[in-house]
């Protein structure tokens, strides 16, 4: 509300004899900050979001070209069985288990090792899907385009909010310095007038 009053005072203070220079400066600072928040913050958010979108979609393409989904076969379940819930699963209820498994790498080599299977109660001979690189080494699931877009949007919103916060912080700093200067001038004026305050007409 204070910013709105300061901005509305720009017109009213044009010919006001009580107008101080700091009043006009404060009003112009408030108006400039408002325009920057309304214009610069969205632009910064869009630019940051677009940049993040490009980088993330490039990462999606690289991951999808270098990671492959293969079929693995359970040899046996390991001791620390259930490890938790898959956050990327469609239902969000698929249990993960640690198993010893065999699989064939995309380059044709046979692989064997302990991996995490999206099986609630794995049994010997069960099959499950596994993400690997070209040599068959286990890797994470590649980033999907929808998730990348979500991250880019969040980055853009964060950039816009950061820009708006920076503008508001600068505005508050400028206003704080203006108020300090105003108080300093009041102190100077009072130091000149204060000792004679109330003595007019007393004959002293």
């Amino acid at each position: 509300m204070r910013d709105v009053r300061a901005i509305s005072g720009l017109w009213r203070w044009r010919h006001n004899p009580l107008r101080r220079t700091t009043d006009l400066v404060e009003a112009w600072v408030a108006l400039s900050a408002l325009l920057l928040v309304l214009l610069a913050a969205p632009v910064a958010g869009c630019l940051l979001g677009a940049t993040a979108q490009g980088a993330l979609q490039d990462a999606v393409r690289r991951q999808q070209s270098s990671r492959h989904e293969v079929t693995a076969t359970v040899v046996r379940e390991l001791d620390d069985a259930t490890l938790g819930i898959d956050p990327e699963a469609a239902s969000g209820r698929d249990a993960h288990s640690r198993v010893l498994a065999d699989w064939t790498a995309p380059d044709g080599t046979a692989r064997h090792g302990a991996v995490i299977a999206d099986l609630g109660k794995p049994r010997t001979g069960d099959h499950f899907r596994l993400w690997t690189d070209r040599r068959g080494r286990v890797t994470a699931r590649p980033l999907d385009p929808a998730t990348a877009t979500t991250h880019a949007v969040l980055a853009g919103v964060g950039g816009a909010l950061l820009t708006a916060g920076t503008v508001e912080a600068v505005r508050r700093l400028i206003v704080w310095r203006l108020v300090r200067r105003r108080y300093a001038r009041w102190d100077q004026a009072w130091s000149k007038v204060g000792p004679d305050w109330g003595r007019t007409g007393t004959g002293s």
Side-chain angles (χ1 to χ4, degrees):
M1 285 299 296
R2 183 176 180 179
D3 290 348
V4 175
R5 289 196 299 268
I7 294 172
S8 64
L10 276 173
W11 181 262
R12 292 185 290 103
W13 289 339
R14 289 182 308 156
H15 305 295
N16 192 324
L18 299 178
R19 182 198 67 194
R20 297 164 298 191
T21 302
T22 55
D23 293 329
L24 282 180
V25 172
E26 183 176 349
W28 279 112
V29 168
L31 178 59
S32 301
L34 179 61
L35 292 176
L36 286 174
V37 168
L38 294 178
L39 300 176
V43 170
C46 290
L47 291 176
L48 181 58
T51 302
Q53 173 76 341
L56 288 171
Q57 293 300 334
D58 286 343
V60 168
R61 288 188 288 270
R62 288 196 303 270
Q63 290 182 9
Q64 290 183 342
S65 64
S66 63
R67 300 179 186 184
H68 307 272
E69 192 177 22
V70 300
T71 300
T73 303
V74 176
V75 176
R76 63 182 174 85
E77 183 179 10
L78 298 179
D79 293 337
D80 47 346
T82 301
L83 298 180
I85 303 297
D86 183 3
E88 297 183 1
S91 65
R93 294 192 299 261
D94 295 336
H96 280 182
S97 302
R98 190 166 181 266
V99 300
L100 194 64
D102 294 324
W103 67 94
T104 301
D107 62 3
T109 58
R111 291 285 180 171
H112 177 82
V115 296
I116 304 300
D118 55 350
L119 299 171
K121 295 180 179 179
R123 296 181 177 85
T124 301
D126 286 349
H127 300 290
F128 62 95
R129 306 299 291 175
L130 187 68
W131 285 98
T132 70
D133 61 12
R134 293 186 180 90
R135 297 183 179 180
R137 292 173 296 194
V138 178
T139 185
R141 180 184 304 180
L143 185 67
D144 62 273
T147 302
T149 299
T150 300
H151 292 331
V153 170
L154 292 176
V157 172
L161 292 177
L162 180 61
T163 301
T166 302
V167 170
E168 175 63 13
V170 172
R171 185 198 68 80
R172 287 177 178 269
L173 177 61
I174 294 175
V175 171
W176 176 75
R177 292 180 64 89
L178 289 173
V179 171
R180 284 179 59 89
R181 181 179 299 179
R182 189 180 299 162
Y183 286 160
R185 289 179 177 176
W186 284 350
D187 289 340
Q188 292 175 359
W190 181 253
S191 64
K192 296 177 181 179
V193 178
D196 296 327
W197 186 262
R199 296 184 180 180
T200 302
T202 61
S204 59

